[in-house]
PDB file of all heavy atoms in Angstrom:
ATOM      1  N   MET K   8       0.843  -1.162  -0.003  1.00  0.00           N
ATOM      2  CA  MET K   8      -0.015  -0.011  -0.007  1.00  0.00           C
ATOM      3  C   MET K   8       0.852   1.253   0.000  1.00  0.00           C
ATOM      4  O   MET K   8       1.843   1.326   0.711  1.00  0.00           O
ATOM      5  CB  MET K   8      -0.906  -0.025   1.226  1.00  0.00           C
ATOM      6  CG  MET K   8      -1.796   1.206   1.308  1.00  0.00           C
ATOM      7  SD  MET K   8      -2.945   1.151   2.705  1.00  0.00           S
ATOM      8  CE  MET K   8      -3.948  -0.192   2.202  1.00  0.00           C
ATOM      9  N   PHE K   9       0.539   2.214  -0.829  1.00  0.00           N
ATOM     10  CA  PHE K   9       1.305   3.443  -0.916  1.00  0.00           C
ATOM     11  C   PHE K   9       0.953   4.379   0.223  1.00  0.00           C
ATOM     12  O   PHE K   9      -0.214   4.673   0.460  1.00  0.00           O
ATOM     13  CB  PHE K   9       1.007   4.099  -2.248  1.00  0.00           C
ATOM     14  CG  PHE K   9       1.630   5.462  -2.412  1.00  0.00           C
ATOM     15  CD1 PHE K   9       3.014   5.555  -2.573  1.00  0.00           C
ATOM     16  CD2 PHE K   9       0.896   6.596  -2.439  1.00  0.00           C
ATOM     17  CE1 PHE K   9       3.601   6.803  -2.719  1.00  0.00           C
ATOM     18  CE2 PHE K   9       1.452   7.833  -2.593  1.00  0.00           C
ATOM     19  CZ  PHE K   9       2.835   7.933  -2.748  1.00  0.00           C
ATOM     20  N   HIS K  10       1.936   4.804   0.973  1.00  0.00           N
ATOM     21  CA  HIS K  10       1.743   5.781   2.080  1.00  0.00           C
ATOM     22  C   HIS K  10       2.628   7.008   1.771  1.00  0.00           C
ATOM     23  O   HIS K  10       3.420   7.359   2.581  1.00  0.00           O
ATOM     24  CB  HIS K  10       2.110   5.185   3.416  1.00  0.00           C
ATOM     25  CG  HIS K  10       1.185   4.094   3.844  1.00  0.00           C
ATOM     26  ND1 HIS K  10      -0.063   4.290   4.297  1.00  0.00           N
ATOM     27  CD2 HIS K  10       1.355   2.726   3.797  1.00  0.00           C
ATOM     28  CE1 HIS K  10      -0.659   3.134   4.577  1.00  0.00           C
ATOM     29  NE2 HIS K  10       0.208   2.185   4.278  1.00  0.00           N
ATOM     30  N   GLY K  11       2.479   7.567   0.614  1.00  0.00           N
ATOM     31  CA  GLY K  11       3.340   8.678   0.215  1.00  0.00           C
ATOM     32  C   GLY K  11       2.961   9.960   0.891  1.00  0.00           C
ATOM     33  O   GLY K  11       1.991  10.082   1.609  1.00  0.00           O
ATOM     34  N   CYS K  37      -8.052  13.481  -4.603  1.00  0.00           N
ATOM     35  CA  CYS K  37      -7.006  12.477  -4.328  1.00  0.00           C
ATOM     36  C   CYS K  37      -6.223  12.852  -3.030  1.00  0.00           C
ATOM     37  O   CYS K  37      -5.036  13.123  -3.056  1.00  0.00           O
ATOM     38  CB  CYS K  37      -6.037  12.336  -5.488  1.00  0.00           C
ATOM     39  SG  CYS K  37      -6.886  11.904  -7.043  1.00  0.00           S
ATOM     40  N   SER K  38      -6.900  12.844  -1.948  1.00  0.00           N
ATOM     41  CA  SER K  38      -6.379  13.283  -0.649  1.00  0.00           C
ATOM     42  C   SER K  38      -5.230  12.442  -0.133  1.00  0.00           C
ATOM     43  O   SER K  38      -4.339  12.938   0.567  1.00  0.00           O
ATOM     44  CB  SER K  38      -7.486  13.365   0.401  1.00  0.00           C
ATOM     45  OG  SER K  38      -8.391  14.341   0.092  1.00  0.00           O
ATOM     46  N   GLY K  39      -5.222  11.155  -0.412  1.00  0.00           N
ATOM     47  CA  GLY K  39      -4.153  10.292   0.070  1.00  0.00           C
ATOM     48  C   GLY K  39      -4.016  10.256   1.588  1.00  0.00           C
ATOM     49  O   GLY K  39      -4.891   9.822   2.290  1.00  0.00           O
ATOM     50  N   ASN K  40      -2.893  10.788   2.086  1.00  0.00           N
ATOM     51  CA  ASN K  40      -2.644  10.848   3.511  1.00  0.00           C
ATOM     52  C   ASN K  40      -3.053  12.218   4.104  1.00  0.00           C
ATOM     53  O   ASN K  40      -2.690  12.555   5.208  1.00  0.00           O
ATOM     54  CB  ASN K  40      -1.165  10.643   3.848  1.00  0.00           C
ATOM     55  CG  ASN K  40      -0.859   9.165   3.975  1.00  0.00           C
ATOM     56  OD1 ASN K  40      -1.714   8.351   4.111  1.00  0.00           O
ATOM     57  ND2 ASN K  40       0.419   8.845   3.934  1.00  0.00           N
ATOM     58  N   PHE K  41      -3.788  13.015   3.308  1.00  0.00           N
ATOM     59  CA  PHE K  41      -4.318  14.299   3.777  1.00  0.00           C
ATOM     60  C   PHE K  41      -3.209  15.290   4.151  1.00  0.00           C
ATOM     61  O   PHE K  41      -3.402  16.134   5.022  1.00  0.00           O
ATOM     62  CB  PHE K  41      -5.352  14.097   4.913  1.00  0.00           C
ATOM     63  CG  PHE K  41      -6.478  13.262   4.481  1.00  0.00           C
ATOM     64  CD1 PHE K  41      -6.425  11.887   4.483  1.00  0.00           C
ATOM     65  CD2 PHE K  41      -7.636  13.883   3.996  1.00  0.00           C
ATOM     66  CE1 PHE K  41      -7.489  11.132   4.018  1.00  0.00           C
ATOM     67  CE2 PHE K  41      -8.716  13.121   3.530  1.00  0.00           C
ATOM     68  CZ  PHE K  41      -8.640  11.767   3.557  1.00  0.00           C
ATOM     69  N   GLU K  44      -4.377  18.806   3.156  1.00  0.00           N
ATOM     70  CA  GLU K  44      -5.366  19.220   4.104  1.00  0.00           C
ATOM     71  C   GLU K  44      -4.758  19.678   5.450  1.00  0.00           C
ATOM     72  O   GLU K  44      -5.209  20.638   6.033  1.00  0.00           O
ATOM     73  CB  GLU K  44      -6.396  18.118   4.361  1.00  0.00           C
ATOM     74  CG  GLU K  44      -7.326  17.822   3.174  1.00  0.00           C
ATOM     75  CD  GLU K  44      -6.714  16.881   2.137  1.00  0.00           C
ATOM     76  OE1 GLU K  44      -5.479  16.683   2.080  1.00  0.00           O
ATOM     77  OE2 GLU K  44      -7.482  16.359   1.312  1.00  0.00           O
ATOM     78  N   GLY K  59     -12.306  16.898   1.188  1.00  0.00           N
ATOM     79  CA  GLY K  59     -11.359  15.917   0.634  1.00  0.00           C
ATOM     80  C   GLY K  59     -12.061  14.848  -0.175  1.00  0.00           C
ATOM     81  O   GLY K  59     -13.276  14.699  -0.194  1.00  0.00           O
ATOM     82  N   ASN K  60     -11.203  14.091  -0.857  1.00  0.00           N
ATOM     83  CA  ASN K  60     -11.691  13.017  -1.743  1.00  0.00           C
ATOM     84  C   ASN K  60     -10.618  11.944  -1.889  1.00  0.00           C
ATOM     85  O   ASN K  60      -9.434  12.250  -1.967  1.00  0.00           O
ATOM     86  CB  ASN K  60     -11.999  13.586  -3.096  1.00  0.00           C
ATOM     87  CG  ASN K  60     -11.885  12.585  -4.242  1.00  0.00           C
ATOM     88  OD1 ASN K  60     -10.905  12.577  -4.939  1.00  0.00           O
ATOM     89  ND2 ASN K  60     -12.878  11.679  -4.343  1.00  0.00           N
ATOM     90  N   ASP K  61     -10.996  10.700  -1.882  1.00  0.00           N
ATOM     91  CA  ASP K  61     -10.129   9.611  -2.256  1.00  0.00           C
ATOM     92  C   ASP K  61     -10.954   8.376  -2.461  1.00  0.00           C
ATOM     93  O   ASP K  61     -12.158   8.376  -2.271  1.00  0.00           O
ATOM     94  CB  ASP K  61      -9.026   9.361  -1.235  1.00  0.00           C
ATOM     95  CG  ASP K  61      -7.733   8.898  -1.895  1.00  0.00           C
ATOM     96  OD1 ASP K  61      -7.674   7.788  -2.405  1.00  0.00           O
ATOM     97  OD2 ASP K  61      -6.781   9.678  -1.947  1.00  0.00           O
ATOM     98  N   ILE K  62     -10.272   7.269  -2.826  1.00  0.00           N
ATOM     99  CA  ILE K  62     -11.021   6.043  -3.126  1.00  0.00           C
ATOM    100  C   ILE K  62     -10.478   4.805  -2.406  1.00  0.00           C
ATOM    101  O   ILE K  62     -11.173   3.800  -2.326  1.00  0.00           O
ATOM    102  CB  ILE K  62     -11.067   5.809  -4.665  1.00  0.00           C
ATOM    103  CG1 ILE K  62     -12.166   4.844  -5.057  1.00  0.00           C
ATOM    104  CG2 ILE K  62      -9.704   5.419  -5.198  1.00  0.00           C
ATOM    105  CD1 ILE K  62     -12.554   4.929  -6.452  1.00  0.00           C
ATOM    106  N   THR K  63      -9.277   4.863  -1.855  1.00  0.00           N
ATOM    107  CA  THR K  63      -8.703   3.692  -1.159  1.00  0.00           C
ATOM    108  C   THR K  63      -9.379   3.506   0.219  1.00  0.00           C
ATOM    109  O   THR K  63      -9.839   4.480   0.819  1.00  0.00           O
ATOM    110  CB  THR K  63      -7.207   3.811  -0.956  1.00  0.00           C
ATOM    111  OG1 THR K  63      -6.906   4.865  -0.073  1.00  0.00           O
ATOM    112  CG2 THR K  63      -6.500   4.035  -2.296  1.00  0.00           C
ATOM    113  N   VAL K  64      -9.393   2.284   0.696  1.00  0.00           N
ATOM    114  CA  VAL K  64     -10.019   1.999   1.969  1.00  0.00           C
ATOM    115  C   VAL K  64      -9.335   2.838   3.080  1.00  0.00           C
ATOM    116  O   VAL K  64     -10.030   3.445   3.930  1.00  0.00           O
ATOM    117  CB  VAL K  64      -9.881   0.487   2.317  1.00  0.00           C
ATOM    118  CG1 VAL K  64     -10.333   0.187   3.753  1.00  0.00           C
ATOM    119  CG2 VAL K  64     -10.745  -0.326   1.342  1.00  0.00           C
ATOM    120  N   TYR K  65      -8.039   2.837   3.086  1.00  0.00           N
ATOM    121  CA  TYR K  65      -7.268   3.612   4.093  1.00  0.00           C
ATOM    122  C   TYR K  65      -7.612   5.071   4.107  1.00  0.00           C
ATOM    123  O   TYR K  65      -7.943   5.665   5.133  1.00  0.00           O
ATOM    124  CB  TYR K  65      -5.783   3.380   3.824  1.00  0.00           C
ATOM    125  CG  TYR K  65      -4.852   4.026   4.798  1.00  0.00           C
ATOM    126  CD1 TYR K  65      -4.332   3.308   5.902  1.00  0.00           C
ATOM    127  CD2 TYR K  65      -4.388   5.344   4.606  1.00  0.00           C
ATOM    128  CE1 TYR K  65      -3.464   3.884   6.811  1.00  0.00           C
ATOM    129  CE2 TYR K  65      -3.508   5.910   5.485  1.00  0.00           C
ATOM    130  CZ  TYR K  65      -3.040   5.182   6.591  1.00  0.00           C
ATOM    131  OH  TYR K  65      -2.192   5.768   7.452  1.00  0.00           O
ATOM    132  N   SER K  66      -7.543   5.669   2.922  1.00  0.00           N
ATOM    133  CA  SER K  66      -7.818   7.139   2.830  1.00  0.00           C
ATOM    134  C   SER K  66      -9.300   7.447   3.101  1.00  0.00           C
ATOM    135  O   SER K  66      -9.602   8.473   3.689  1.00  0.00           O
ATOM    136  CB  SER K  66      -7.456   7.660   1.418  1.00  0.00           C
ATOM    137  OG  SER K  66      -6.048   7.535   1.240  1.00  0.00           O
ATOM    138  N   CYS K  67     -10.199   6.582   2.661  1.00  0.00           N
ATOM    139  CA  CYS K  67     -11.609   6.817   2.921  1.00  0.00           C
ATOM    140  C   CYS K  67     -11.887   6.801   4.417  1.00  0.00           C
ATOM    141  O   CYS K  67     -12.600   7.634   4.953  1.00  0.00           O
ATOM    142  CB  CYS K  67     -12.507   5.796   2.193  1.00  0.00           C
ATOM    143  SG  CYS K  67     -12.640   6.092   0.430  1.00  0.00           S
ATOM    144  N   ALA K  68     -11.295   5.823   5.131  1.00  0.00           N
ATOM    145  CA  ALA K  68     -11.488   5.745   6.570  1.00  0.00           C
ATOM    146  C   ALA K  68     -10.976   7.028   7.218  1.00  0.00           C
ATOM    147  O   ALA K  68     -11.642   7.612   8.106  1.00  0.00           O
ATOM    148  CB  ALA K  68     -10.772   4.523   7.122  1.00  0.00           C
ATOM    149  N   LEU K  69      -9.798   7.466   6.858  1.00  0.00           N
ATOM    150  CA  LEU K  69      -9.243   8.691   7.398  1.00  0.00           C
ATOM    151  C   LEU K  69     -10.078   9.904   7.034  1.00  0.00           C
ATOM    152  O   LEU K  69     -10.335  10.776   7.870  1.00  0.00           O
ATOM    153  CB  LEU K  69      -7.823   8.887   6.959  1.00  0.00           C
ATOM    154  CG  LEU K  69      -6.933   9.946   7.616  1.00  0.00           C
ATOM    155  CD1 LEU K  69      -7.014   9.838   9.146  1.00  0.00           C
ATOM    156  CD2 LEU K  69      -5.498   9.855   7.147  1.00  0.00           C
ATOM    157  N   GLY K  70     -10.567   9.964   5.820  1.00  0.00           N
ATOM    158  CA  GLY K  70     -11.421  11.098   5.375  1.00  0.00           C
ATOM    159  C   GLY K  70     -12.721  11.148   6.142  1.00  0.00           C
ATOM    160  O   GLY K  70     -13.164  12.193   6.556  1.00  0.00           O
ATOM    161  N   TRP K  71     -13.331   9.963   6.324  1.00  0.00           N
ATOM    162  CA  TRP K  71     -14.585   9.932   7.067  1.00  0.00           C
ATOM    163  C   TRP K  71     -14.340  10.383   8.537  1.00  0.00           C
ATOM    164  O   TRP K  71     -15.124  11.075   9.085  1.00  0.00           O
ATOM    165  CB  TRP K  71     -15.213   8.566   7.027  1.00  0.00           C
ATOM    166  CG  TRP K  71     -15.786   8.236   5.657  1.00  0.00           C
ATOM    167  CD1 TRP K  71     -16.389   9.078   4.779  1.00  0.00           C
ATOM    168  CD2 TRP K  71     -15.829   6.947   5.057  1.00  0.00           C
ATOM    169  NE1 TRP K  71     -16.771   8.417   3.671  1.00  0.00           N
ATOM    170  CE2 TRP K  71     -16.456   7.105   3.817  1.00  0.00           C
ATOM    171  CE3 TRP K  71     -15.353   5.695   5.460  1.00  0.00           C
ATOM    172  CZ2 TRP K  71     -16.664   6.025   2.948  1.00  0.00           C
ATOM    173  CZ3 TRP K  71     -15.565   4.592   4.555  1.00  0.00           C
ATOM    174  CH2 TRP K  71     -16.207   4.796   3.339  1.00  0.00           C
ATOM    175  N   TYR K  72     -13.243   9.925   9.059  1.00  0.00           N
ATOM    176  CA  TYR K  72     -12.898  10.281  10.455  1.00  0.00           C
ATOM    177  C   TYR K  72     -12.715  11.816  10.559  1.00  0.00           C
ATOM    178  O   TYR K  72     -13.264  12.474  11.454  1.00  0.00           O
ATOM    179  CB  TYR K  72     -11.640   9.571  10.896  1.00  0.00           C
ATOM    180  CG  TYR K  72     -11.209   9.906  12.304  1.00  0.00           C
ATOM    181  CD1 TYR K  72     -11.810   9.254  13.376  1.00  0.00           C
ATOM    182  CD2 TYR K  72     -10.250  10.886  12.558  1.00  0.00           C
ATOM    183  CE1 TYR K  72     -11.471   9.554  14.698  1.00  0.00           C
ATOM    184  CE2 TYR K  72      -9.928  11.206  13.886  1.00  0.00           C
ATOM    185  CZ  TYR K  72     -10.518  10.544  14.929  1.00  0.00           C
ATOM    186  OH  TYR K  72     -10.183  10.848  16.200  1.00  0.00           O
ATOM    187  N   LEU K  73     -11.943  12.382   9.629  1.00  0.00           N
ATOM    188  CA  LEU K  73     -11.646  13.840   9.714  1.00  0.00           C
ATOM    189  C   LEU K  73     -12.882  14.682   9.408  1.00  0.00           C
ATOM    190  O   LEU K  73     -12.923  15.847   9.850  1.00  0.00           O
ATOM    191  CB  LEU K  73     -10.534  14.195   8.731  1.00  0.00           C
ATOM    192  CG  LEU K  73      -9.175  13.585   9.059  1.00  0.00           C
ATOM    193  CD1 LEU K  73      -8.160  13.923   7.897  1.00  0.00           C
ATOM    194  CD2 LEU K  73      -8.649  14.125  10.383  1.00  0.00           C
ATOM    195  N   LEU K  78     -17.396   5.463  10.779  1.00  0.00           N
ATOM    196  CA  LEU K  78     -16.564   4.528  10.008  1.00  0.00           C
ATOM    197  C   LEU K  78     -17.291   3.181   9.875  1.00  0.00           C
ATOM    198  O   LEU K  78     -17.465   2.497  10.879  1.00  0.00           O
ATOM    199  CB  LEU K  78     -15.200   4.328  10.685  1.00  0.00           C
ATOM    200  CG  LEU K  78     -14.423   5.591  10.970  1.00  0.00           C
ATOM    201  CD1 LEU K  78     -13.120   5.281  11.702  1.00  0.00           C
ATOM    202  CD2 LEU K  78     -14.137   6.331   9.685  1.00  0.00           C
ATOM    203  N   TYR K  80     -16.860   0.144   9.420  1.00  0.00           N
ATOM    204  CA  TYR K  80     -16.029  -1.064   9.385  1.00  0.00           C
ATOM    205  C   TYR K  80     -16.349  -1.898  10.629  1.00  0.00           C
ATOM    206  O   TYR K  80     -16.446  -1.370  11.750  1.00  0.00           O
ATOM    207  CB  TYR K  80     -14.528  -0.721   9.408  1.00  0.00           C
ATOM    208  CG  TYR K  80     -14.155   0.063   8.212  1.00  0.00           C
ATOM    209  CD1 TYR K  80     -13.940   1.469   8.267  1.00  0.00           C
ATOM    210  CD2 TYR K  80     -13.973  -0.571   6.952  1.00  0.00           C
ATOM    211  CE1 TYR K  80     -13.618   2.164   7.119  1.00  0.00           C
ATOM    212  CE2 TYR K  80     -13.621   0.154   5.842  1.00  0.00           C
ATOM    213  CZ  TYR K  80     -13.437   1.551   5.939  1.00  0.00           C
ATOM    214  OH  TYR K  80     -13.106   2.211   4.817  1.00  0.00           O
ATOM    215  N   LEU K 104     -10.498   3.416  13.710  1.00  0.00           N
ATOM    216  CA  LEU K 104      -9.541   3.890  12.719  1.00  0.00           C
ATOM    217  C   LEU K 104      -8.108   3.439  13.049  1.00  0.00           C
ATOM    218  O   LEU K 104      -7.384   2.999  12.158  1.00  0.00           O
ATOM    219  CB  LEU K 104      -9.608   5.414  12.519  1.00  0.00           C
ATOM    220  CG  LEU K 104      -8.673   5.967  11.485  1.00  0.00           C
ATOM    221  CD1 LEU K 104      -8.871   5.337  10.096  1.00  0.00           C
ATOM    222  CD2 LEU K 104      -8.839   7.474  11.389  1.00  0.00           C
ATOM    223  N   LEU K 107      -7.788  -0.133  12.018  1.00  0.00           N
ATOM    224  CA  LEU K 107      -7.676  -0.246  10.557  1.00  0.00           C
ATOM    225  C   LEU K 107      -6.322   0.152  10.103  1.00  0.00           C
ATOM    226  O   LEU K 107      -5.665  -0.489   9.273  1.00  0.00           O
ATOM    227  CB  LEU K 107      -8.769   0.577   9.872  1.00  0.00           C
ATOM    228  CG  LEU K 107      -8.780   0.492   8.364  1.00  0.00           C
ATOM    229  CD1 LEU K 107      -9.217  -0.909   7.930  1.00  0.00           C
ATOM    230  CD2 LEU K 107      -9.726   1.506   7.794  1.00  0.00           C
ATOM    231  N   MET K 108      -5.813   1.296  10.597  1.00  0.00           N
ATOM    232  CA  MET K 108      -4.480   1.770  10.196  1.00  0.00           C
ATOM    233  C   MET K 108      -3.426   0.769  10.528  1.00  0.00           C
ATOM    234  O   MET K 108      -2.529   0.447   9.711  1.00  0.00           O
ATOM    235  CB  MET K 108      -4.202   3.114  10.842  1.00  0.00           C
ATOM    236  CG  MET K 108      -5.130   4.216  10.277  1.00  0.00           C
ATOM    237  SD  MET K 108      -4.963   5.755  11.239  1.00  0.00           S
ATOM    238  CE  MET K 108      -3.414   6.373  10.523  1.00  0.00           C
ATOM    239  N   THR K 111      -3.110  -2.515   8.430  1.00  0.00           N
ATOM    240  CA  THR K 111      -2.362  -2.506   7.130  1.00  0.00           C
ATOM    241  C   THR K 111      -1.004  -3.141   7.289  1.00  0.00           C
ATOM    242  O   THR K 111      -0.440  -3.600   6.324  1.00  0.00           O
ATOM    243  CB  THR K 111      -2.238  -1.122   6.533  1.00  0.00           C
ATOM    244  OG1 THR K 111      -1.456  -0.292   7.431  1.00  0.00           O
ATOM    245  CG2 THR K 111      -3.575  -0.480   6.310  1.00  0.00           C
ATOM    246  N   LEU K 153     -12.235  18.147   8.220  1.00  0.00           N
ATOM    247  CA  LEU K 153     -12.714  18.374   6.870  1.00  0.00           C
ATOM    248  C   LEU K 153     -14.145  18.848   6.941  1.00  0.00           C
ATOM    249  O   LEU K 153     -14.919  18.405   7.759  1.00  0.00           O
ATOM    250  CB  LEU K 153     -12.645  17.104   6.034  1.00  0.00           C
ATOM    251  CG  LEU K 153     -11.273  16.472   5.788  1.00  0.00           C
ATOM    252  CD1 LEU K 153     -11.447  15.200   4.959  1.00  0.00           C
ATOM    253  CD2 LEU K 153     -10.368  17.462   5.078  1.00  0.00           C
ATOM    254  N   PHE K 156     -16.183  14.845   3.078  1.00  0.00           N
ATOM    255  CA  PHE K 156     -15.304  13.889   2.379  1.00  0.00           C
ATOM    256  C   PHE K 156     -16.135  13.116   1.377  1.00  0.00           C
ATOM    257  O   PHE K 156     -17.224  12.606   1.715  1.00  0.00           O
ATOM    258  CB  PHE K 156     -14.653  12.922   3.359  1.00  0.00           C
ATOM    259  CG  PHE K 156     -13.780  11.933   2.671  1.00  0.00           C
ATOM    260  CD1 PHE K 156     -12.508  12.298   2.232  1.00  0.00           C
ATOM    261  CD2 PHE K 156     -14.225  10.657   2.431  1.00  0.00           C
ATOM    262  CE1 PHE K 156     -11.713  11.386   1.559  1.00  0.00           C
ATOM    263  CE2 PHE K 156     -13.424   9.726   1.752  1.00  0.00           C
ATOM    264  CZ  PHE K 156     -12.142  10.110   1.328  1.00  0.00           C
ATOM    265  N   TYR K 157     -15.626  12.953   0.140  1.00  0.00           N
ATOM    266  CA  TYR K 157     -16.285  12.204  -0.906  1.00  0.00           C
ATOM    267  C   TYR K 157     -15.447  10.971  -1.181  1.00  0.00           C
ATOM    268  O   TYR K 157     -14.292  11.065  -1.588  1.00  0.00           O
ATOM    269  CB  TYR K 157     -16.462  13.031  -2.171  1.00  0.00           C
ATOM    270  CG  TYR K 157     -17.046  12.252  -3.295  1.00  0.00           C
ATOM    271  CD1 TYR K 157     -18.423  11.934  -3.315  1.00  0.00           C
ATOM    272  CD2 TYR K 157     -16.251  11.795  -4.361  1.00  0.00           C
ATOM    273  CE1 TYR K 157     -18.967  11.230  -4.366  1.00  0.00           C
ATOM    274  CE2 TYR K 157     -16.792  11.089  -5.398  1.00  0.00           C
ATOM    275  CZ  TYR K 157     -18.123  10.809  -5.385  1.00  0.00           C
ATOM    276  OH  TYR K 157     -18.681  10.061  -6.433  1.00  0.00           O
ATOM    277  N   ALA K 158     -16.038   9.794  -0.998  1.00  0.00           N
ATOM    278  CA  ALA K 158     -15.369   8.518  -1.289  1.00  0.00           C
ATOM    279  C   ALA K 158     -15.769   8.117  -2.723  1.00  0.00           C
ATOM    280  O   ALA K 158     -16.861   7.571  -2.923  1.00  0.00           O
ATOM    281  CB  ALA K 158     -15.786   7.470  -0.286  1.00  0.00           C
TER     282      ALA K 158
END
Side-chain angles (χ1 to χ4, degrees):
M8 179 177 293
F9 175 70
H10 294 284
C37 303
S38 294
N40 274 345
F41 298 84
E44 289 85 343
N60 153 258
D61 213 291
I62 198 161
T63 67
V64 170
Y65 182 93
S66 294
C67 286
L69 191 50
W71 289 325
Y72 181 82
L73 294 174
L78 303 178
Y80 300 103
L104 181 56
L107 182 67
M108 292 171 79
T111 64
L153 297 178
F156 179 77
Y157 176 75

